[in-house]
Amino acid sequence: MKIILRILGAIVLAFALLVAGFIAWSWAPDIPVEQLKARWATPPSQFIDVDGLQVHVRDEGSRTDPLPIVLVHGTAASLHTWEGWAGELKKTRRVIRFDLPGFGLTGPNAANDYSMAVYVRFVAALMDKLGVQRFVIAGNSLGGEVAWAVAHALPERVDRLILVDAAGYRIESVSIPLGFRVAGTPGLRSLMANVLPPGLIEKSVRNVYGDPSRVTPDLVALYTDIARREGNRAALRKRLSQRNTGREADIRTLKLPTLILWGGQDRLIPPAYAQRFAADISGARLVMFEQLGHVPQEEDPAATLAAVREFLR
């Protein structure tokens, strides 16, 4: 009996040491937003109060543009995902991009509510704050769902719609990024509050690229820092539990010029969903980029922007 107890004790000790070692190896607590601003909120970034939330915004280009272009990022991303598009579009158009509540440097909202109704009201409130009444809206992934939901709720304000690997249907993914799987697993949620295993973010970003070799150390650093922005990990867990379903019928009511861009290598929201959007939105135009993944606007800004320019003309 004593031998058995010693063996059990040794096993428990070994397990405890293993867990302690894992935590020490991957310890990565939240980072205060003020600490992150120096690197990721340089000019032209500004922070605008929207219903008590300090929203990270970049508003660039011509203030005489009658139809500003609004760019909405996806889950766990930030306004930086549109850097390539914004850099070119701002030469002739007004371009507005921002970090959605729960992500980027904007961080969590007070209600801890990331439902689509809240996001739609948020976009409307931000546009009011900026004095923008009518606009073109483009969105990627979750941002795509926000974009078409805004177009559905506020048809009088949205002139054109651009969907980039957009969410909105019940999705059957081929592959889900590791970071999303961890955040969505109940048994791991509390553990991940202050740890971030080295390599997890890089694996997750590479997973959504058609060509993983395009993922640079700077890009990994960006995604890592915004993941560690205080409150963002908890917000991501909450957002993943608040996914919207059963709103597909709203897509079929959209009656505005729509461009659908999709990465042919998207394994998170596969290309079949691009075909569904094209079928459900009357007159929509679909452009497929066979070699790109889930964030084609970030992976190859030049190629995707060429299609956008043609659409806007």
Side-chain angles (χ1 to χ4, degrees), residues 123-144:
V123 172
L126 177 59
M127 292 303 105
D128 289 345
K129 197 87 172 184
L130 295 173
V132 175
Q133 291 305 308
R134 193 161 172 82
F135 49 89
V136 176
I137 190 167
N140 170 235
S141 194
L142 165 64

Side-chain angles (χ1 to χ4, degrees), residues 26-303:
S26 57
W27 185 252
D30 282 352
I31 301 174
V33 65
E34 293 301 323
Q35 186 176 327
L36 296 173
K37 285 181 179 180
R39 183 171 185 184
W40 305 118
T42 54
S45 284
Q46 56 182 311
F47 287 81
I48 297 176
D49 183 279
V50 179
D51 296 330
L53 189 65
Q54 291 299 304
V55 181
H56 181 208
V57 178
R58 287 190 175 178
D59 183 357
E60 303 171 271
S62 172
R63 289 301 187 275
T64 63
D65 186 350
L67 287 171
I69 301 169
V70 177
L71 305 174
V72 191
H73 68 77
T75 299
S78 69
L79 59 76
H80 294 280
T81 194
W82 301 105
E83 195 66 38
W85 280 24
E88 291 300 314
L89 288 171
K90 70 180 182 182
K91 296 175 182 177
T92 56
R93 302 292 298 267
R94 183 178 180 183
V95 183
I96 301 167
R97 49 194 168 126
F98 47 85
D99 290 344
L100 285 169
F103 304 110
L105 299 185
T106 296
N109 59 32
N112 203 23
D113 187 347
Y114 308 102
S115 61
M116 197 51 52
V118 167
Y119 279 137
V120 170
R121 289 196 298 270
F122 164 79
V123 172
L126 177 59
M127 292 303 105
D128 289 345
K129 197 87 172 184
L130 295 173
V132 175
Q133 291 305 308
R134 193 161 172 82
F135 49 89
V136 176
I137 190 167
N140 170 235
S141 194
L142 165 64
E145 184 173 3
V146 172
W148 69 252
V150 169
H152 173 264
L154 307 169
E156 73 285 356
R157 299 190 70 171
V158 180
D159 182 77
R160 290 172 182 251
L161 176 64
I162 303 172
L163 301 178
V164 186
D165 295 70
Y169 299 101
R170 290 181 179 271
I171 299 168
E172 292 185 11
S173 300
V174 175
S175 178
I176 299 174
L178 181 59
F180 288 4
R181 280 183 278 157
V182 170
T185 303
L188 296 177
R189 288 174 182 172
S190 58
L191 176 64
M192 296 306 294
N194 287 295
V195 300
L196 193 62
L200 186 146
I201 296 294
E202 181 176 0
K203 287 184 176 67
S204 297
V205 179
R206 289 173 65 87
N207 181 269
V208 297
Y209 267 53
D211 179 2
S213 70
R214 293 176 183 259
V215 177
T216 65
D218 283 347
L219 187 64
V220 174
L222 167 62
Y223 275 97
T224 301
D225 279 358
I226 63 174
R228 293 182 60 189
R229 190 264 192 226
E230 53 190 351
N232 276 4
R233 278 177 282 191
L236 174 60
R237 295 193 294 272
K238 188 66 173 179
R239 167 60 199 159
L240 291 177
S241 71
Q242 293 177 337
R243 288 177 179 173
N244 299 276
T245 56
R247 299 177 61 250
E248 290 92 339
D250 291 346
I251 300 170
R252 294 190 288 274
T253 69
L254 295 171
K255 307 293 183 185
L256 76 168
T258 301
L259 174 65
I260 302 165
L261 306 180
W262 221 271
Q265 302 302 312
D266 189 346
R267 298 184 297 163
L268 181 59
I269 309 181
Y273 294 94
Q275 303 293 344
R276 289 191 64 179
F277 274 110
D280 284 346
I281 303 175
S282 179
R285 179 189 175 203
L286 169 61
V287 180
M288 188 72 64
F289 297 90
E290 295 295 345
Q291 303 306 312
L292 302 180
H294 182 63
V295 283
Q297 84 286 353
E298 181 179 277
E299 187 175 355
D300 193 340

